[in-house]
Amino acid sequence: MNRGLILLLTVILCNIAMPSRGIEVDSISCINWEADTIIFNGADWSPLFDRICSLQDTTTCHERKVVSIVHLGDSHVQAGFFSEALRLSLQQQWGNAGRGLIAPLRISKTNEPADYKMTSHHTWQHKRCIIGKKFSNSVGVSGISITPTSRKVDITIEAMSRYGEEIGFNTVRLFHTPSDNFPLLMPSDTPADLNTYSLHPGETYYTWADTTHVIHLQGNNKHAHEDATIYGASLENGRSGILLHAIGNNSATYECYNRVEEYGSKLSLLEPQLVIISMGTNESVSSRITHDAMYQQIHTLVTDIRTHSPEAIILLTTPADNKLRKRYRKNGKRRTYYAENKHLDTVTEAIKSYGIDHNIAVWDWYTIGGGKGSCDTWVKENGMRKDHIHYTAQGYALQGNLLYHSIMKAYEEYIR
């Protein structure tokens, strides 16, 4: 058994044995363990690894050091479980700097991760970056915008522990419309040593002394409703460590984020050292997708991110094996079956070839997860839902831990 496989099994066994994490990760028989590695394609990750290494040396100085990671994707990311498993493992290894970006998904009438709540006593109009009825190209970094329908503005932000992890925060970075008329929202219960300021248009910092797990912001908007539009918030605790900002939208594609005005500029406010892009599933279910079209959409988004965050390292991940739901009638009854997704290879190869052509690292989840036909095994072994596209909570946790392992393996090889 080689060292890489030993390390992988060690990581998984450790994660299973951690009652504080509360995540039970079962293996799936079709996983290709040997393939669980980052394919660098000539990309230089030394700046990222040097930055991570510096987190180990926070006891000798009082300077806060943070490694900011953005995980950008579709419904696989919006559900929260994939990014959560990756974030908890990274923070356990290198320090917890906070929950990171959260989005008003619940207020936008869609599913929200289970470890936070963004709620309000008032009604809001919502827009999303998903091409369709509610599409807007003026949404924020989260791909979402919520606009109050009344003069009163209030929003409650609550972080919740799922596995006994530290959830307290003493800093909220509120992302909102970059208007001079944005109402000054204030906590209903003023924390000690509260300080409110802004470093860039479209964001307001709230910092205070002691950490809390919930804060209620409220105020009155004297101008147009659009001046009080909110996009999301980053929850931070002032300590050194990892911040992982998960940005996921159901049905999202590369094109969705490409259509958002100045999206790369909005993303740059998170100051990412690593941007993980996990999309391609929704493109693969379209019969109109071509290799060239997919390649161009990847290029547009990557170029935008690199233009505004030139120091950020990018990691592309391929979509997993999935199937298309088909229906037919037999004996007067509608029946369902799942057919091979013939366009999946087109999308996967476009992502991998783009990585090769532009020296961008790729994490080939399609191969790692078992390749063609593997989704049947994932469904059978309770790692994937019966729709043959989305994973169960445990399946996503396994995926997140496997991605963590591949990053950890590359880091250890670098410092060796």
Side-chain angles (χ1 to χ4, degrees):
M1 184 180 294
N2 63 36
R3 185 179 184 279
L5 183 55
I6 292 174
L7 176 59
L8 171 62
L9 294 176
T10 300
V11 169
I12 292 177
L13 288 173
C14 287
N15 285 336
I16 293 174
M18 291 176 188
S20 62
R21 288 275 310 279
I23 299 176
E24 295 181 359
V25 182
D26 296 324
S27 179
I28 301 295
S29 61
C30 61
I31 289 177
N32 185 339
W33 304 105
E34 295 293 336
D36 185 30
T37 185
I38 293 173
I39 305 168
F40 283 98
N41 294 322
D44 179 13
W45 279 40
S46 59
L48 173 65
F49 289 150
D50 288 342
R51 181 76 175 177
I52 289 175
C53 193
S54 72
L55 295 177
Q56 307 288 354
D57 188 29
T58 58
T59 57
T60 58
C61 67
H62 298 289
E63 177 189 1
R64 182 182 183 231
K65 298 179 180 179
V66 172
V67 173
S68 175
I69 299 172
V70 171
H71 191 190
L72 181 64
D74 48 30
S75 58
H76 298 301
V77 176
Q78 179 174 330
F81 303 111
F82 178 12
S83 302
E84 177 185 58
L86 175 61
R87 173 173 55 84
L88 292 179
S89 294
L90 290 170
Q91 290 183 337
Q92 187 173 53
Q93 183 69 32
W94 288 303
N96 178 355
R99 172 58 174 80
L101 185 69
I102 62 174
L105 295 164
R106 184 188 303 265
I107 297 174
S108 299
K109 311 298 183 183
T110 186
N111 59 296
E112 196 169 77
D115 64 340
Y116 75 84
K117 287 183 180 179
M118 292 187 74
T119 56
S120 176
H121 294 108
H122 297 93
T123 59
W124 301 69
Q125 293 179 339
H126 62 275
K127 298 290 185 180
R128 307 191 70 186
C129 67
I130 305 306
I131 300 171
K133 184 177 179 180
K134 292 288 185 178
F135 173 78
S136 172
N137 64 356
S138 60
V139 296
V141 64
S142 65
I144 291 174
S145 69
I146 56 170
T147 302
T149 58
S150 65
R151 294 297 183 188
K152 290 187 177 294
V153 181
D154 84 286
I155 192 162
T156 299
I157 298 171
E158 181 180 2
M160 297 175 290
S161 173
R162 280 167 35 84
Y163 309 114
E165 73 275 20
E166 174 57 46
I167 61 170
F169 56 92
N170 59 12
T171 299
V172 172
R173 292 177 64 192
L174 187 68
F175 298 96
H176 51 77
T177 182
S179 169
D180 293 336
N181 297 324
F182 183 79
L184 181 59
L185 306 181
M186 295 299 291
S188 56
D189 296 319
T190 305
D193 300 323
L194 175 68
N195 187 19
T196 304
Y197 60 94
S198 178
L199 296 178
H200 305 94
E203 67 171 346
T204 300
Y205 279 79
Y206 301 85
T207 66
W208 56 92
D210 299 326
T211 59
T212 182
H213 73 281
V214 60
I215 190 167
H216 179 73
L217 301 175
Q218 60 185 12
N220 292 302
N221 181 33
K222 300 178 181 179
H223 304 279
H225 293 313
E226 291 74 17
D227 289 328
T229 297
I230 292 174
Y231 305 131
S234 178
L235 309 184
E236 305 175 17
N237 57 32
R239 297 198 296 266
S240 295
I242 300 290
L243 274 179
L244 195 150
H245 306 286
I247 303 169
N249 286 277
N250 293 343
S251 302
T253 61
Y254 278 85
E255 183 182 4
C256 292
Y257 295 104
N258 288 335
R259 289 196 180 190
V260 176
E261 291 179 352
E262 300 180 345
Y263 187 72
S265 177
K266 294 172 180 177
L267 191 71
S268 69
L269 293 177
L270 300 175
E271 301 177 327
Q273 281 86 47
L274 172 64
V275 178
I276 304 169
I277 305 177
S278 296
M279 282 184 287
T281 297
N282 294 305
E283 286 92 341
S284 75
V285 300
S286 171
S287 59
R288 296 176 295 175
I289 193 66
T290 65
H291 181 279
D292 290 347
M294 184 70 196
Y295 191 100
Q296 183 57 49
Q297 290 294 340
I298 298 169
H299 182 66
T300 300
L301 183 59
V302 168
T303 300
D304 191 22
I305 293 172
R306 281 183 155 175
T307 298
H308 294 92
S309 302
E311 303 300 321
I313 290 167
I314 295 176
L315 174 65
L316 305 177
T317 76
T318 61
D321 180 58
N322 61 71
K323 287 189 172 182
L324 305 178
R325 187 176 68 171
K326 302 288 186 178
R327 290 183 175 180
Y328 67 98
R329 284 190 174 276
K330 184 177 181 179
N331 299 327
K333 295 183 179 180
R334 298 186 68 180
R335 303 180 184 273
T336 300
Y337 71 100
Y338 294 89
E340 177 186 351
N341 184 350
K342 297 180 180 179
H343 304 287
L344 191 56
D345 286 344
T346 299
V347 170
T348 300
E349 289 306 314
I351 293 172
K352 293 196 291 187
S353 62
Y354 187 86
I356 293 171
D357 294 345
H358 296 271
N359 303 117
I360 293 177
V362 172
W363 191 62
D364 188 3
W365 177 235
Y366 177 80
T367 300
I368 297 166
K372 185 176 180 179
S374 60
C375 64
D376 290 327
T377 302
W378 279 82
V379 171
K380 182 179 179 181
E381 298 181 10
N382 300 316
M384 183 176 276
R385 298 178 184 270
K386 293 182 179 180
D387 65 4
H388 288 72
I389 292 179
H390 298 96
Y391 293 96
T392 62
Q394 289 190 347
Y396 280 122
L398 176 56
Q399 183 184 16
N401 278 302
L402 288 169
L403 179 53
Y404 164 73
H405 160 259
S406 67
I407 295 173
M408 187 70 178
K409 178 181 176 182
Y411 172 76
E412 289 200 345
E413 290 176 350
Y414 173 74
I415 65 174
R416 186 178 305 136

